[in-house]
Amino acid sequence: MSTNPFLDPTLVHGDLYRGNDRLADRTHALHRAKISGSDVADTIAHLLAARVPRGAVVLDIGCGRGTTTLRLTDRLRPRRLFAVDASVALLRTTRDRLGAAGALGSVVCADFHHLPLPDSVADAAVVAFCLYHSPTPGLAVAEIARCLCPGGTAVLVTKSLDSYGELDHLVHAAELDPHATSRPSLYESFHSGNLHTIVAKNLTVIDVHHDEHVFQFADATHLARYLITTPKYRITLTGGIPNLAEALQQRLSKPPYTTRSTVSYAVAVRP
C-alpha cells in the first residue's frame, strides 16, 4: 500500500470519492481563496474548441462533479458526450447537473485503465486531475488513446509536484502533523514535470502550457475548511473545523495564508 493517499486504492475507491461532499467542500474552499490563475474548465474548452469542430464525440475522463463536462457541452455542442468516472456518487452529481442544464450526455462508471468503449470512438478526450491516482498513468493514457480516432485530440491536465507546498510548512508550524513537510506530493505519479514524457509514449504532444494559480486564505477558519478536506496530512486534532481553526489562529502568524499551484495542460493527438 502506498504512503500516498492518492495512490491508495482503498482510499481512492472508498472514503475519498464515495460521496460528493469532500470534493465539493475542497473545491469551494479553493475557489474562494483563488486570487489569480485561469479558469481550468474554460481553458480546457478553449484548447479543444481550437482543434475540434462542433458535433464531435467527446470523452470527459475522470469527470468528477461535472464542471468541465458542462463547459464542454456548452462550448463544443458535442454529438455525443461520455462523462466517465469510477465514483458512482460523483457521476450522480454530474448526471443531475447535466439534466438541470438541459445538456445531453451519458455517464459511464469505469476505471480509466479499462474503458468499456470501442476503439476509435471519440474525436476528443479530456483527462483532468485524475491520472495522479494511477501508479501506472502511462497505461491509462494508452487506453484513452485507444478510444480516440486517428487524429483525435486529448487535453490532459495535472498539477506540479510542489502544489500547495506552503501549506506543508503551515501545518508543520501549527504542530498539527510533525511529518507534513516530508510527506510525498499527492501528485507524484503524474505531474507537471513528467506530463510530457508519459503522454508522448502513446500520443503526439502538440503543446504543453503551464499556468500558476495563487490562493489566499482569508482567515484561520477558511484555511481549516480546506485542510480538513485534504488527505495528505495526518491531523489527529478532534473537534472539526472550529477546533482546527482555533489551533491555526493560536499557533500561526496573522492571515492571510498564501499558497500556489502550477496547473499544466498537455494538448496531444493520436497519430
Side-chain angles (χ1 to χ4, degrees):
M1 183 181 297
S2 173
T3 58
N4 183 339
F6 270 13
L7 293 174
D8 183 339
T10 303
L11 288 174
V12 171
H13 298 292
D15 291 346
L16 290 185
Y17 301 108
R18 181 180 289 121
N20 177 68
D21 291 346
R22 186 195 70 86
L23 189 57
D25 290 346
R26 179 181 178 85
T27 301
H28 180 64
L30 273 180
H31 282 180
R32 279 186 57 212
K34 188 173 176 180
I35 59 174
S36 72
S38 301
D39 181 272
V40 173
D42 278 346
T43 301
I44 292 170
H46 174 75
L47 290 171
L48 272 187
R51 301 186 58 88
V52 179
R54 289 192 170 201
V57 177
V58 179
L59 311 179
D60 186 5
I61 308 294
C63 65
R65 300 177 60 250
T67 300
T68 299
T69 314
L70 286 169
R71 210 66 54 87
L72 293 172
T73 62
D74 182 60
R75 185 73 183 272
L76 297 180
R77 302 293 180 185
R79 181 171 78 257
R80 293 198 70 184
L81 184 142
F82 297 93
V84 182
D85 205 284
S87 168
V88 173
L90 297 182
L91 283 176
R92 187 180 301 118
T93 298
T94 296
R95 181 196 62 204
D96 292 347
R97 294 178 75 185
L98 285 169
L104 297 177
S106 301
V107 297
V108 179
C109 188
D111 184 323
F112 49 41
H113 300 92
H114 308 286
L115 296 171
L117 298 169
D119 293 355
S120 305
V121 70
D123 302 295
V126 170
V127 195
F129 303 137
C130 60
L131 287 178
Y132 41 64
H133 287 302
S134 172
T136 55
L139 296 181
V141 175
E143 176 68 351
I144 293 158
R146 175 188 68 78
C147 296
L148 281 172
C149 300
T153 300
V155 175
L156 304 99
V157 188
T158 191
K159 300 181 183 183
S160 58
L161 271 174
D162 61 355
S163 290
Y164 317 114
E166 296 88 350
L167 299 186
D168 297 349
H169 297 280
L170 289 176
V171 171
H172 183 270
E175 301 176 357
L176 296 170
D177 180 352
H179 304 292
T181 56
S182 59
R183 296 197 184 281
S185 169
L186 293 175
Y187 315 107
E188 64 178 339
S189 175
F190 187 73
H191 54 83
S192 301
N194 65 12
L195 169 66
H196 187 289
T197 300
I198 291 174
V199 173
K201 291 178 180 178
N202 290 283
L203 298 167
T204 300
V205 178
I206 303 301
D207 187 31
V208 176
H209 169 66
H210 305 287
D211 184 28
E212 185 181 64
H213 291 214
V214 181
F215 305 88
Q216 199 169 81
F217 296 92
D219 52 41
T221 299
H222 187 186
L223 179 56
R225 289 188 183 280
Y226 175 75
L227 290 178
I228 208 164
T229 70
T230 180
K232 182 175 185 178
Y233 309 115
R234 304 295 184 269
I235 297 175
T236 58
L237 183 70
T238 59
I241 291 172
N243 283 7
L244 181 56
E246 183 179 359
L248 291 167
Q249 189 170 13
Q250 290 178 350
R251 301 170 188 177
L252 297 180
S253 57
K254 291 183 178 181
Y257 309 108
T258 301
T259 191
R260 292 168 175 79
S261 172
T262 298
V263 177
S264 299
Y265 305 81
V267 179
V269 299
R270 179 181 169 182

